[in-house]
Amino acid sequence: TKRRIILRNLFEEVAATEKNEKWTNIIKREKELYKRNNDIRSEIERDYTRIIHSTAYRRMKHKTQVFFSPENDHICTRIEHVTYVESISHTIAKYLGLNIDLTKAIATAHDLGHAPFGHEGERVLSKISQRDLEEKFWHEKNGLDFVDKIELLEDNLKNEQNLNLTYGVRDGIISHCGEIDENALFPREECIDLKEYKYPNQYAPYTWEGCVVKVSDKISYIGRDIEDAITVGILDKHLSELYKILRSDHDEVINNTIIINNLIKDLCQNSSPEKGLCFSDEMFNLMNELKKFNYEYIYLSDRLRPSSRYFDLVLNEIYNTLKNTYDGENTLDKIHKMKNFYPDILNNFEEWLSRYWTFERKQGANNEVLFDITNENDYSKAIIYYISGMTDKFAVEMYNKIIGF
């Protein structure tokens, strides 16, 4: 249609390209990557491949999205959610004329910092962190810490280095946080030090591409969480209300693709650089109604409470077991002594920690020293990072070995 032709590529002039005055900031890195003479990738494309080669990315296939269901192949996991966000943001960015390589890299990395067991696991770690470190744990900040400090890749000299992603991708990771409560999303102008982030949603993303990923994240989980809830039977008593919200007949199918398609199409047809990324009032109200429905009947469902209590038990037991090895200057000796009781988790934890501590470093570790394990706060922080990188399966396995004989 004429309207469709007019709106396509409407954001081309503000896209993250060399023509954009922000471009130098978008592609800057804290440290130069090693060079290859035959590399045909752009800086953003190098980011993408570094992300998918990281262990944090691979582990997302065994991390909960909403429903803890490790035996059900048809329930959405964290990595599927990431794939949906990448697909949605690609569709929106391509239609609007934005940089699809940048949205792809941000979307693929946006949940690298998620704890095991989804947002319930995040809640448990945040409670521990507030108690012992007086600071909240939030997965967007943890994701930035992971790509900046924790995740390591071997360089061409076999030295382990941090991912060292571009500013535009790093900003997109920490800036995807927070709900969209107002029907317009604009990027910020300032290239701030990302360490200035103190709480979720404090700043808007630096790029339009980051804004696209932020809104795509919301589009993705609203539809898929409903589909999964229908699959597991949680919504059996509430389907009539859902049909009413969607203004659908009871013989019509309710699934993820239909909900997503309607939201994407509406966003693309109503957004402009002047108005921001926005939905029609009708669709924005629908999204808010669906969000409210999800919270009331899915996320706060009585059916999920037993698993929440279990996650609390598992993560606290792992944390307490590791924290009990702290003994100031004698911490390393105590770790070795307690291996008699907990060999699996303490061997794994020591091997992980050896990349980042002040003691003898793991061979090839060329990254920043992060922890003085004689310092109690450092030790607590290291344990939280370690646990946050676990898959659901590994956390459960370690818990079972801790309580077993």
Side-chain angles (χ1 to χ4, degrees), residues 111-283:
D111 269 354
L112 290 181
H114 244 293
F117 310 126
H119 286 286
E120 285 302 305
E122 182 175 15
R123 177 189 59 79
V124 175
L125 289 186
S126 188
K127 190 174 180 179
I128 292 170
S129 183
Q130 288 179 83
R131 182 194 67 205
D132 288 3
L133 297 171
E134 298 184 344
E135 62 183 36
K136 290 185 177 181
F137 173 95
W138 39 297
H139 76 269
E140 300 89 350
K141 173 64 164 60
N142 198 54
L144 181 64
D145 287 347
F146 257 62
V147 299
D148 283 355
K149 303 175 182 178
I150 304 298
E151 284 299 303
L152 303 172
L153 293 175
E154 277 191 342
D155 63 18
N156 55 337
L157 299 176
K158 295 188 176 181
N159 293 315
E160 291 186 326
Q161 304 272 11
N162 293 120
L163 298 191
N164 191 26
L165 305 180
T166 59
Y167 181 87
V169 175
R170 294 171 58 242
D171 170 79
I173 293 171
I174 194 169
S175 297
H176 87 270
C177 51
E179 297 296 339
I180 300 170
D181 297 320
E182 296 182 6
N183 191 14
L185 190 57
F186 295 88
R188 70 175 191 275
E189 292 301 320
E190 303 81 12
C191 181
I192 63 172
D193 183 343
L194 297 177
K195 294 184 180 68
E196 291 182 18
Y197 264 95
K198 303 302 180 186
Y199 54 87
N201 213 23
Q202 183 177 1
Y203 300 103
Y206 186 58
T207 62
W208 282 105
E209 287 78 4
C211 293
V212 166
V213 173
K214 180 169 182 170
V215 72
S216 298
D217 186 31
K218 310 307 176 282
I219 291 173
S220 171
Y221 78 68
I222 284 175
R224 184 56 202 258
D225 293 351
I226 288 173
E227 186 172 306
D228 279 352
I230 291 173
T231 299
V232 299
I234 285 180
L235 295 181
D236 288 352
K237 296 179 180 179
H238 309 290
L239 285 178
S240 293
E241 185 171 343
L242 182 58
Y243 277 110
K244 184 178 179 181
I245 292 172
L246 293 171
R247 298 172 181 81
S248 301
D249 295 328
H250 282 244
D251 58 349
E252 293 183 38
V253 175
I254 296 177
N255 62 32
N256 189 38
T257 56
I258 293 173
I259 294 172
I260 283 177
N261 179 69
N262 292 338
L263 289 169
I264 292 174
K265 182 179 177 182
D266 186 88
L267 182 78
C268 287
Q269 290 181 341
N270 286 280
S271 298
S272 71
E274 293 74 30
K275 292 168 56 182
L277 291 179
C278 59
F279 297 95
S280 65
D281 289 341
E282 179 183 359
M283 196 59 68

Side-chain angles (χ1 to χ4, degrees), residues 47-52 54 56-57 60 78-79 81-83 85-86 89 101-114 139-147 151 163 165-166 168-176 213:
D47 278 4
Y48 172 73
T49 52
R50 292 177 75 76
I51 291 160
I52 64 172
S54 68
Y57 174 79
M60 285 193 291
R78 183 61 53 183
I79 204 164
H81 164 72
V82 164
T83 302
V85 175
E86 193 280 311
S89 60
D101 288 333
L102 182 53
T103 55
K104 183 177 184 178
I106 295 171
T108 304
H110 85 276
D111 269 354
L112 290 181
H114 244 293
H139 76 269
E140 300 89 350
K141 173 64 164 60
N142 198 54
L144 181 64
D145 287 347
F146 257 62
V147 299
E151 284 299 303
L163 298 191
L165 305 180
T166 59
V169 175
R170 294 171 58 242
D171 170 79
I173 293 171
I174 194 169
S175 297
H176 87 270
V213 173

Side-chain angles (χ1 to χ4, degrees), residues 348-367:
N348 189 277
F349 180 57
E350 183 183 2
E351 196 275 336
W352 177 88
L353 194 56
S354 68
R355 296 176 172 89
Y356 314 102
W357 65 7
T358 49
F359 285 80
E360 183 177 349
R361 305 287 302 283
K362 177 181 172 65
Q363 186 175 2
N366 200 33
N367 55 301

